[in-house]
Structures are given as structure tokens and as C-alpha cells.
């Protein structure tokens, strides 16, 4: 399913991210924002956002094995091993071409999924009788939540930088699911 991208020579417009993955991404972004601004003020909303994040993480785990080509975790190991060199090459503006996630994006995916899981699970633990007021659960939740916000900021920065280097609107691609690809990925 390729078609010529308007105004781009030798470029094709390719469907990369499917609708369920895009809905998951933006729902997760909204829920993380809600959870970030609501603790100790709107505790009920904060908890609901956390439970919804757990549900979205479960969906992503399933979709990572059952979803479409670019949603699957199939190339996770290869891209993770390529990440140090990819990140090193970014210093010189060398990004390579990847249809799906690039190696840095793969590292970010893994880091965000893990820190979100720790944050959401320890947050759910905090409201149980067994773990209410337990210092290590509270601290783990706080540190993991801070890590999520830092990773989100790095994610947004990375999308902007790579988008500029590649002269692509990667934010638009996450809304439409389509990327303009020049040459071989």
C-alpha cells in the first residue's frame, strides 16, 4: 500500500502505525498527563488514570505480539543492540532510515513501558491495606513517576530532533499512521 507523497521526489507514503496503536499512544499520553497533574489534589481521578494506564499497558503487551507488523516486538532485540551506535551517530546528524521505530525510539519504548508499569503497579499497591503507608512502595512510585515524566520529555525532544534531521513531521505521522519514506529504510 504505497503511494507517491505529494511534492517529494522518489518518496513513498507508507502506512506504518495502525489505528489501535495510535489510539493507545494518544490515550496513554493523555492519561500520563492527567496522572501527573492530579496527585494529592484529585486523588480519585489520579487513581482512575493509573488503573487505565495498567489496562493500556496490558493491551500494548498483547498488541506487541498480536498486532500489525510495526506494532509487534519482533525487532526489539536487534534495535536495542543497534541503539548505542545510533545514538552516537545522532551527534553528527546521522539518523538512518527506519520505517517503524528507530533504535533510540525502541529504547524509549522499553524504558517508558517499564517505568510506567512500575509507577502504575506501585500506585495501585499504595491504596491496598497491605501496602498503604509502606515507605518503599511510596518511594518507588514517586521515583518511577518522576522517571516517566523525564522520559516523556526526552521522547518529545527526540521526536522533534529526529523529525528535523529527517525533514519529516513525526507527530503528524503518529496521528495519520503514515510516513514519507525516501529510499530504502
Amino acid at each position: 500500500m504505497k503511494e507517491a507523497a505529494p511534492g517529494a521526489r522518489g518518496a513513498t507514503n507508507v502506512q506504518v502505525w495502525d489505528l489501535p496503536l495510535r489510539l493507545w499512544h494518544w490515550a496513554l499520553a493523555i492519561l500520563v498527563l492527567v496522572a501527573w497533574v492530579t496527585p494529592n489534589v484529585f486523588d480519585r481521578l489520579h487513581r482512575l488514570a493509573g488503573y487505565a494506564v495498567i489496562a493500556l499497558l496490558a493491551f500494548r503487551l498483547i498488541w506487541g505480539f498480536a498486532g500489525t507488523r510495526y506494532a509487534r516486538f519482533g525487532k526489539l532485540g536487534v534495535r536495542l543492540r543497534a541503539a548505542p551506535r545510533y545514538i552516537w551517530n545522532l551527534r553528527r546528524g546521522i539518523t538512518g532510515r527506519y520505517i517503524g521505530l528507530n533504535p533510540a525510539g525502541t529504547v524509549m519504548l522499553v524504558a517508558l513501558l517499564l517505568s510506567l508499569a512500575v509507577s502504575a503497579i506501585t500506585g495501585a499497591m499504595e491504596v491496598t491495606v497491605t501496602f498503604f503507608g509502606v515507605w518503599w512502595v511510596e518511594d518507588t512510585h514517586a521515583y518511577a513517576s518522576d522517571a516517566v515524566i523525564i522520559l516523556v520529555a526526552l521522547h518529545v525532544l527526540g521526536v522533534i530532533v529526529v523529525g528535523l534531521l529527517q525533514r519529516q513531521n513525526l507527530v503528524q505521522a503518529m496521528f495519520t499512521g503514515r510516513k514519507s519514506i525516501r529510499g530504502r529504510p
Side-chain angles (χ1 to χ4, degrees):
M1 179 171 13
K2 295 181 180 181
E3 59 189 53
R9 290 187 187 167
T12 55
N13 199 355
V14 180
Q15 183 70 34
V16 178
W17 294 292
D18 58 36
L19 183 61
L21 187 65
R22 290 177 296 166
L23 291 173
W24 171 84
H25 177 271
W26 293 113
L28 187 64
I30 291 166
L31 288 168
V32 166
L33 180 62
V34 167
W36 183 44
V37 300
T38 58
N40 304 319
V41 178
F42 301 104
D43 281 337
R44 182 175 163 86
L45 183 57
H46 183 78
R47 281 193 307 274
L48 288 173
Y51 295 140
V53 166
I54 291 172
L56 286 176
L57 289 173
F59 166 79
R60 185 63 181 101
L61 186 62
I62 293 165
W63 205 243
F65 295 101
T68 56
R69 178 180 180 184
Y70 297 108
R72 283 187 247 132
F73 297 144
K75 295 191 180 211
L76 207 62
V78 172
R79 298 255 166 105
L80 287 173
R81 284 189 299 279
R85 169 168 249 142
Y86 180 86
I87 293 167
W88 183 258
N89 286 335
L90 275 177
R91 295 175 315 110
R92 296 182 307 201
I94 300 170
T95 63
R97 297 304 258 183
Y98 294 86
I99 295 176
L101 285 178
N102 64 44
T106 303
V107 169
M108 185 57 67
L109 172 69
V110 171
L112 272 169
L113 290 178
L114 289 175
S115 59
L116 279 165
V118 171
S119 175
I121 291 168
T122 55
M125 289 170 64
E126 280 187 297
V127 297
T128 65
V129 172
T130 304
F131 293 104
F132 183 79
V134 175
W135 70 268
W136 67 267
V137 175
E138 291 178 353
D139 284 357
T140 303
H141 179 67
Y143 291 134
S145 300
D146 290 345
V148 167
I149 298 307
I150 291 166
L151 289 170
V152 166
L154 289 172
H155 170 58
V156 171
L157 180 64
V159 166
I160 292 168
V161 168
V162 172
L164 289 171
L165 289 172
Q166 293 182 344
R167 295 187 177 110
Q168 278 199 68
N169 187 340
L170 296 176
V171 175
Q172 180 183 20
M174 189 47 82
F175 278 108
T176 66
R178 302 183 75 76
K179 282 178 72 178
S180 177
I181 306 299
R182 291 175 208 88
R184 289 187 54 82

